[in-house]
Amino acid sequence: MGSLTLISGGAGFVGSNAAADMARRGERVRILDNLSRRGTERNLEWLRRNWGDRIEFVKGDVRDAGAARRAVEGAGLILHLAGQVAVTTSVEDPRPDFEVNALGTFNVLEAARLSGARPAFIVSSTNKVYGGMEDLEVVEEETRCRFAGGIAAVSEERPLDFHSPYGCSKGAADQYVRDYARIYGLPTVVFRMSCIYGPRQFGNEDQGWVAHFLISGAKGRPVTVYGNGKQVRDILYVDDLIRAFRAAAERIRSVQGRVYNIGGGERNTLSLMELIEIMRREFGYAVKPSYAKWRPGDQPIYVSDIRRAREDLGWEPAVGRDEGIRLLRDWIESQKPNL
């Protein structure tokens, strides 16, 4: 890795965990963040309190090309994590979604190219680039959905089919990052991520559903299930995602230009109904959800095929689903008065 890592969105959930991991290792981290998301100021204060001069903070917005140019200067690695993260928000107000996700990514990517330093560039994309996958038959079981026809997971060979403004903006960013490796030789990697969860995630019902449900349960707040609650995702503990970032950065010359589905894989799948049952049975949370109609772009099931990441990066999840949920619950309980 380079001597300096830039993390756009570095005060967010994933970004603050990645920054902490690097600072623990003695590496220097520059954070570019506009602090617009709830919890980012607390995450930044935590980073500064624990790692002081290893953390450089630049308050700025990826929509500002000049801010992106200044932030990229001197970086050997860029983790581009800044983004508008909710499908529902994108549907309600698509312009800022486009400006943050598509234009913002372009600004940071161009800044990397124009720097002349060819920094490694890893972007957090999303499984939403595959759309609703309506051609795949889905079977409803008692507590979850599954793919029919012997399909277990979705590979990177799946055709792209952007649904919702969020899917379009993230998809555009995904393809720009991939193409900059082809056209300009910039060492880029795209991570199409499934559901990431863990400490320092202040989830809400639009994004970060595992944390949102657990925080609501711990605080005795009501929760709403959109759809029937049988929708399934493969969940990945944030520490495992950071290991994947590091693996890609260390192998950047051999993996540049490639795309990876990054998630918990087949062994770490979870439905909303199953999470609610874990909360009741294991944690004693009295959860009584209300139900609302499905939201646009919500896939009944998505499971990442992570074989390419295993083969190319030597990576696979180390934290199992139940262990990770317990770790997140423990962090939530420790922070309960402040949530």
Side-chain angles (χ1 to χ4, degrees):
M1 292 189 180
S3 58
L4 172 68
T5 295
L6 168 66
I7 307 179
S8 67
F13 156 52
V14 173
S16 62
N17 277 281
D21 176 75
M22 292 174 179
R24 287 188 196 104
R25 298 169 185 267
E27 299 170 14
R28 293 188 301 121
V29 180
R30 178 181 295 149
I31 289 171
L32 174 66
D33 204 301
N34 66 6
L35 301 181
S36 62
R37 188 165 170 82
R38 186 176 72 88
T40 50
E41 291 186 352
R42 291 172 57 186
N43 287 341
L44 179 61
E45 192 278 328
W46 171 71
L47 289 168
R48 284 171 157 168
R49 184 174 68 249
N50 285 282
W51 293 284
D53 58 3
R54 294 178 190 170
I55 303 293
E56 176 190 351
F57 173 63
V58 177
K59 188 171 184 180
D61 197 305
V62 293
R63 290 172 287 189
D64 180 345
R69 286 288 300 274
R70 292 188 292 273
V72 161
E73 187 175 344
L77 169 65
I78 298 169
L79 299 182
H80 179 51
L81 310 179
Q84 193 295 113
V85 296
V87 172
T88 49
T89 301
S90 79
V91 172
E92 292 166 2
D93 198 357
R95 181 176 293 277
D97 173 83
F98 170 82
E99 291 173 345
V100 173
N101 290 345
L103 178 60
T105 298
F106 174 79
N107 285 339
V108 180
L109 195 56
E110 264 291 88
R113 181 180 75 87
L114 295 172
S115 74
R118 298 185 73 248
F121 190 108
I122 303 173
V123 67
S124 59
S125 185
T126 172
N127 64 72
K128 293 294 190 293
V129 300
Y130 299 120
M133 304 182 295
E134 289 90 349
D135 60 305
L136 298 181
E137 184 182 351
V138 174
V139 176
E140 282 192 18
E141 298 180 336
E142 185 178 355
T143 63
R144 58 166 46 208
C145 293
R146 65 173 174 83
F147 291 122
I151 297 172
V154 176
S155 81
E156 295 86 352
E157 301 306 314
R158 175 80 194 169
L160 300 180
D161 185 18
F162 307 156
H163 281 207
S164 78
Y166 174 78
C168 291
S169 65
K170 292 293 285 187
D174 176 305
Q175 291 299 284
Y176 259 99
V177 172
R178 186 182 189 189
D179 200 54
Y180 264 51
R182 281 190 294 234
I183 300 301
Y184 300 113
L186 198 69
T188 71
V189 171
V190 175
F191 277 7
R192 292 177 182 158
M193 302 197 302
S194 191
C195 292
I196 314 301
Y197 70 104
R200 316 217 67 79
Q201 185 175 34
F202 303 94
N204 57 49
E205 66 180 15
D206 289 329
Q207 195 268 342
W209 61 275
V210 177
H212 169 63
F213 273 51
L214 288 172
I215 291 170
S216 297
K219 300 286 285 186
R221 298 171 182 164
V223 296
T224 301
V225 172
Y226 295 90
N228 59 16
K230 297 182 181 182
Q231 52 265 57
V232 166
R233 298 292 183 270
D234 59 315
I235 64 173
L236 181 69
Y237 194 68
V238 66
D239 289 0
D240 283 329
L241 173 60
I242 292 166
R243 288 177 45 246
F245 286 148
R246 186 167 290 277
E250 290 170 349
R251 295 165 175 80
I252 193 64
R253 301 306 166 189
S254 63
V255 303
Q256 67 181 54
R258 297 186 186 175
V259 172
Y260 296 97
N261 288 345
I262 300 290
E266 297 170 41
R267 296 181 181 178
N268 294 292
T269 60
L270 181 71
S271 75
L272 272 66
M273 289 179 67
E274 290 165 349
L275 178 58
I276 289 170
E277 179 56 29
I278 290 170
M279 291 166 61
R280 290 169 174 162
R281 184 184 67 245
E282 302 294 331
F283 308 148
Y285 295 158
V287 185
K288 295 181 179 179
S290 59
Y291 288 81
K293 65 181 181 179
W294 287 85
R295 295 181 294 189
D298 196 4
Q299 302 146 324
I301 175 171
Y302 178 83
V303 180
S304 307
D305 183 338
I306 58 175
R307 287 178 294 178
R308 181 183 290 182
R310 184 181 294 122
E311 293 165 3
D312 289 3
L313 305 179
W315 171 89
E316 61 184 351
V319 179
R321 182 195 79 171
D322 293 347
E323 177 189 0
I325 291 172
R326 284 194 299 271
L327 289 169
L328 176 55
R329 187 283 308 263
D330 291 346
W331 178 80
I332 288 169
E333 291 291 343
S334 74
Q335 301 292 316
K336 197 170 173 179
N338 302 315
L339 295 174

